Amino acid sequence: MPHFTVVPVEDRAQSNYDSLEGINWVDYRDTGQGYPGHQDTVSSDGHGNHKEDSPFLNSAEAATKKNDFYDRNLALFEEELDIRPKVSSLLSRLVNYTNITQGAKEHEEEESTEASRRKAAKSPNMGTLMGVYLPCLQNIFGVILFLRLTWIVGSAGIVQSFLIVLMCCSCTMLTAISMSAIATNGVVPAGGAYFMISRSLGPEFGGAVGLCFYLGTTFAAAMYILGAIEIFLKYLVPQAAIFHATDPHGGDSAMLNNMRVYGSICLSLMAVVVFVGVKYVNKLASLFLACVIISIVSIYAGAIKSITHPPEFSICMLGNRTLVRDLFDVCAKTVTEGNDTVPSQLWKNFCSPGNMTSAQCDGYFSQNNVTEIQGIPGLASGIIRDNMWGDYLQKGEILEKAGLQPVDVHGAMESFGLYVSADIATSFTLLVGIFFPSATGIMAGSNRSGDLRDAQKSIPIGTILAITTTSLVYFSSVVLFGACIEGVVLRDKFGDAVNKNLVVGTLSWPSPWVIVIGSFFSTVGAGLQSLTGAPRLLQAIAKDNIIPFLRVFGHGKANGEPTWALLLTGLIAELGILIASLDMVAPILSMFFLMCYLFVNLACAVQTLLRTPNWRPRFRYYHWALSFLGMSMCLALMFISSWYYAIVAMCIAGMIYKYIEYQGAEKEWGDGIRGLSLSGARYALLRLEVGPPHTKNWRPQLLVLLKLDEDLHVKYPRLLTFASQLKAGKGLTIVGSVIQGNFLDSYGETQAAEQAIKNMMEIERVKGFCQVVVASKVREGIAHLIQSCGLGGMKHNTVVMGWPYGWRQSEDPRAWKTFINTVRCTTAAHLALMVPKNVSFYPSNHERFTDGNIDVWWIVHDGGMLMLLPFLLKQHKVWRKCKMRIFTVAQMDDNSIQMKKDLAMFLYQLRIEAEVEVVEMHDSDISAYTYERTLMMEQRSQMLRQMRLSSAERDREAQLVKDRHSLVRMGSLYSDEEEEVVEPPPEKVQMTWTKEKCEAERRNRSNAPENFRELISLKPDQSNVRRMHTAVKLNEVIVNRSHDARLVLLNMPGPPRDTDGDENYMEFLEVLTEGLERVLLVRGGGREVITIYS
């Protein structure tokens, strides 16, 4: 069954590729994920049936096909057919859908559907040969084969060169297998490797590796241009050089400057060609490919011909040293002119002017003979034995032939320029980095998947065949070069020993110019291809909108050509041109390509191991072990070729990854890393389920209960600020809220509330989860949150809730009753509780306390929470400079001195630095003030009760309710139902009064004044007096010692067992914390949370 891709057209803000995710793209975007344009896509009809914007059918089509929808055979589904199309409708659209074509304009969602209908769809018709195989060949064969492979064989020897080629080609073959699996798991549009990695491993990895791949392609353009300029200046037109060496040692710097000048000119011309039109580059591609193939065929033809007729390229040797051939005409010290023997040009180069007897000559020249050897002995000469093993040279070391025995005399430095010497130090690792770019280019087929008739079949076959072909060419070339060419010629990078000819050209047939011209055009073509592909890759990344600062590069000309991206590509390529050395640029792009291939293998391995449902590649010959082997080889090659470049490339990728993680746009592409995270989370949660955490690992896992106002905004955001300061990004934080109502009617409201909370969490830098519950009563919703939040062992152990401000002024008792009910729920669930009082005065994350104290009032021991919380707060920059003080209360019969010593020792063992003070509370008589406060509290409570009673009576009279309803209302006056749910006023009913009812009404009226008179003569309850006494005394002591503290932590007394005293309990807490600016009331969860043991 063919793979299809359905492209939704609603979201204009989406990137080009964000929508290309497969057939199962249904717009259930009611998850509250707040990215632009995604808010108001779900509405509710009040019965839980959410109307989704359909990605399949637009409204016009829905209108025209309405009669077709409401088929009598599908009457059961007729209410949903406007959002869930019939299978026949879907399939008809998929059949009419054309596959993605190459270029930049084709997936732009701005194109109207009418325009796309008018535009004749061009069906993809390229087969495996033209669409994948030949483009891969053209991209893989490049400058290294013609300019450096002979030098690599000469330096490393046939055996080690074979190993280098084997390592690089094995790496690319394993990567091609992984890439084939990914590429056949769906359509891969332009962007190739970037698209595959980002959709498999997520936007962070995709962006990082995509940019690495872009940089690699850009530096590849620089490398090809440098190769073309080297061919031009060394072999085609040497007299075009602008800079010339002034001394024998200045040749390298002059050549580099020439490369910089001509490279910059060439880059500018190529950029203009690409800017004017890519069609010219594509038309020339077949010509460049023909040049490559003709050049390679000429090498094989020359090698075969060398069996019988080796080409005539003689090398002049002085002793065992190789001489630069173009500096003299005859390879001899003397020549015969007529009957006279006269000094040759070679003699004049080594000796001072004068006759042969009196001239001062170089010592090495005088002591050694000049010999001439064949540079290309041929395939049948047996030279292969001499070239089997390597001969690595240091920079400036002269090329010497091993078989010749010289007289070892130190020559003059002035003669150094006459010898062929190594321009750089060589080693196995350096050669790996230089050769690897010649194995890259395997992504060319996957990049063109939109043009292929059957991409699922063509990409694997074409890519693997291309790698097999190029690998065989490289292996055979290594053997042929080693078997046909003399070792010193192979090690001669620029052909100085063979009269400035291209070394590989000396072997070719019919002429060296075939290779020179062919390689020049092929490198120019490869450079143009790189300059064409790199900007499109950058444009694909920019249009995905995952890296904010790259957005500008997503724009281009009216036809979609990436103008700005081309400009940046040219600037980066210019950096490579300024390096000017092909041997230094090659390892740089090797790093970036290896990084890309590494993540292609990782993507395949992760998808295979996770067995994600969408992982169904048509290419079957893959395995996770092969992907891991390929990944390991990529990593090994990175560090083998250049460990410092490898570290730099990894750091660049890591920085891009972190940047996207913190600043980039949120994208959900169903990638493998999300699946890997899910698998890891499941494994970790199952491990956590084994038992509760040890005391050493205990940290507050918070459930923060937030209150929302009528506009669904967070009422007290400083609760989140406090949570972020306490957690510092560690552990679990769940932010919960309750919406009162019916879930079926409040679904959209729930999503809006979740989004508001998430936005506030992001502002306050709280890392955690959000949970909004709809319940008929707030207290029930809070109870549900306390019971059900979290998953497995990852559950909250501490509840943070706000103080019910204004509870005294409100006649409605729901606020403080809900508060006390929550305290009881946390106690029943064995959870710790924190209540920040006056939370609006708490510091923001931008404030810094440079001094001050955090005071802990340790009155009763409930697990050590009071010790642990200040320590955790002090880890945050806001509280870091504060000092910690611990106060404890001693009674008359306690030894306060011993208590202080014991407490200091306890803190020392806990490794907590704090000042210790023991406060003595003497027994004293209960003051009149205490009586007065208790009396005021009880009178107020009684008065509110009477007021609520009177209000209910007035309502009953005014509305003349039914007798039965009146009794029910009186009975439920103080019930939870009455306080939680405000009933609508009943209908007015005319009722008949009897004599008994009239008498009862008069008695009720006469009792009302007496009830208020009782308030005056009320005497306070003794237990309330004692409690108030404790609260007043403690408050006096705390305010006296801690009135200037930055924060006061205090044991929170538990609510009374008898619910009648709930209102008094609130008053006790108010008295206890009176006069303190910032108070944190703390209740432990019934277990130890801090230990002295390691």
Side-chain angles (χ1 to χ4, degrees), residues 29-42:
R29 288 175 297 178
D30 49 4
T31 57
Q33 301 294 332
Y35 42 95
H38 282 197
Q39 256 78 23
D40 300 321
T41 54
V42 180

Side-chain angles (χ1 to χ4, degrees), residues 92-326:
S92 67
R93 292 195 55 159
L94 292 175
V95 168
N96 295 329
Y97 173 74
T98 58
N99 210 338
I100 300 164
T101 55
Q102 193 72 6
K105 189 70 178 171
E106 56 289 320
H107 334 319
E108 290 203 2
E109 292 145 2
E110 288 80 358
E111 286 186 340
S112 64
T113 53
E114 290 80 8
S116 62
R117 285 198 191 101
R118 286 197 301 269
K119 191 177 177 180
K122 181 185 175 185
S123 60
N125 56 3
M126 295 182 77
T128 304
L129 181 70
M130 295 301 295
V132 181
Y133 180 72
L134 292 179
C136 282
L137 277 188
Q138 185 181 358
N139 277 267
I140 295 171
F141 284 134
V143 64
I144 302 295
L145 171 64
F146 303 117
L147 292 185
R148 292 293 182 269
L149 190 57
T150 53
W151 173 68
I152 289 172
V153 173
S155 299
I158 294 174
V159 174
Q160 292 188 31
S161 299
F162 212 84
L163 181 60
I164 291 172
V165 175
L166 179 65
M167 288 168 61
C168 295
C169 292
S170 300
C171 178
T172 52
M173 178 63 82
L174 292 171
T175 305
I177 292 171
S178 299
M179 185 203 70
S180 298
I182 298 172
T184 58
N185 193 47
V187 178
V188 179
Y194 159 70
F195 185 91
M196 288 190 292
I197 294 168
S198 62
R199 269 51 176 186
S200 298
L201 293 179
E204 295 88 1
F205 278 112
V209 181
L211 279 183
C212 282
F213 192 44
Y214 163 74
L215 290 172
T217 310
T218 305
F219 274 102
M223 183 189 75
Y224 288 128
I225 291 170
L226 288 174
I229 299 304
E230 184 177 310
I231 295 169
F232 178 75
L233 289 177
K234 286 278 187 183
Y235 311 115
L236 279 175
V237 193
Q239 57 270 25
I242 300 171
F243 302 95
H244 300 280
T246 54
D247 60 83
H249 301 283
D252 289 344
S253 59
M255 182 63 188
L256 292 179
N257 288 329
N258 286 321
M259 298 273 280
R260 290 183 181 110
V261 172
Y262 279 101
S264 301
I265 295 170
C266 184
L267 175 63
S268 304
L269 291 174
M270 285 185 176
V272 169
V273 171
V274 173
F275 177 76
V276 169
V278 182
K279 57 184 179 181
Y280 303 114
V281 178
N282 292 333
K283 284 179 181 177
L284 292 171
S286 54
L287 171 65
F288 298 141
L289 179 61
C291 291
V292 173
I293 294 171
I294 291 170
S295 302
I296 292 171
V297 169
S298 73
I299 294 172
Y300 284 104
I304 293 168
K305 180 177 175 293
S306 72
I307 298 173
T308 55
H309 298 88
E312 288 296 326
F313 282 100
S314 58
I315 306 167
C316 193
M317 309 291 295
L318 178 61
N320 66 345
R321 296 180 180 179
T322 312
L323 295 172
V324 178
R325 192 68 178 82
D326 66 329

Side-chain angles (χ1 to χ4, degrees), residues 1 196 199 222 364 442 579 633 703 776 778 810 921 976:
M1 175 184 165
M196 288 190 292
R199 269 51 176 186
Y364 190 87
I442 62 174
I579 294 173
M633 287 193 71
L703 169 61
S776 58
V778 174
S810 173
M921 288 187 67
D976 288 348

Side-chain angles (χ1 to χ4, degrees), residues 799-959:
V799 176
V800 180
M801 64 184 298
W803 178 261
Y805 301 101
W807 68 271
R808 282 172 168 165
Q809 288 74 29
S810 173
E811 292 184 15
D812 186 3
R814 279 183 292 174
W816 56 264
K817 277 191 173 290
T818 302
F819 174 81
I820 295 175
N821 189 67
T822 307
V823 176
R824 288 197 171 101
C825 285
T826 56
T827 305
H830 298 289
L831 301 175
L833 175 66
M834 288 189 282
V835 182
K837 198 161 179 282
N838 303 329
V839 74
S840 56
F841 294 116
Y842 277 54
S844 70
N845 284 325
H846 304 294
E847 294 180 47
R848 301 284 187 280
F849 287 142
T850 55
D851 56 4
N853 300 311
I854 299 177
D855 286 358
V856 176
W857 284 86
W858 191 22
I859 299 164
V860 293
H861 178 63
D862 53 359
M865 280 278 289
L866 287 171
M867 310 291 174
L868 187 61
L869 292 176
F871 171 76
L872 294 175
L873 278 175
K874 277 168 63 66
Q875 307 305 306
H876 196 273
K877 55 191 175 186
V878 172
W879 304 93
R880 191 166 292 149
K881 298 289 181 65
C882 294
K883 293 181 180 177
M884 184 174 162
R885 297 191 303 184
I886 295 184
F887 298 90
T888 189
V889 176
Q891 301 300 323
M892 284 297 293
D893 52 349
D894 293 329
N895 186 342
S896 57
I897 297 173
Q898 188 61 40
M899 275 181 69
K900 186 171 182 178
K901 287 181 181 178
D902 294 343
L903 181 55
M905 178 55 67
F906 179 57
L907 290 175
Y908 176 77
Q909 291 174 335
L910 287 175
R911 289 91 63 203
I912 291 177
E913 293 182 9
E915 295 179 22
V916 176
E917 284 197 46
V918 176
V919 179
E920 295 182 353
M921 288 187 67
H922 301 287
D923 288 338
S924 61
D925 294 334
I926 296 172
S927 65
Y929 172 73
T930 304
Y931 271 109
E932 186 182 347
R933 286 297 296 261
T934 312
L935 189 59
M936 284 171 59
M937 174 184 75
E938 294 190 356
Q939 283 179 346
R940 177 186 171 280
S941 178
Q942 188 71 17
M943 189 180 298
L944 285 172
R945 193 175 286 114
Q946 293 293 343
M947 286 170 66
R948 283 197 292 270
L949 185 64
S950 302
S951 174
E953 291 288 347
R954 284 196 301 273
D955 291 344
R956 188 173 59 81
E957 277 185 23
Q959 296 172 5

Side-chain angles (χ1 to χ4, degrees), residues 1049-1087:
L1049 283 82
L1050 183 62
N1051 285 116
M1052 180 178 180
R1057 292 187 178 89
D1058 183 9
T1059 55
D1060 290 340
D1062 284 356
E1063 196 168 1
N1064 299 339
Y1065 171 71
M1066 295 299 295
E1067 188 68 37
F1068 295 145
L1069 292 181
E1070 286 282 11
V1071 171
L1072 184 62
T1073 57
E1074 213 167 39
L1076 298 172
E1077 186 180 17
R1078 300 184 195 94
V1079 185
L1080 181 62
L1081 296 170
V1082 181
R1083 269 182 74 73
R1087 60 162 294 174

Side-chain angles (χ1 to χ4, degrees), residues 632-648:
S632 305
M633 287 193 71
C634 290
L635 193 63
L637 283 173
M638 285 175 71
F639 281 92
I640 284 173
S641 55
S642 176
W643 64 268
Y644 44 89
Y645 278 157
I647 291 173
V648 170

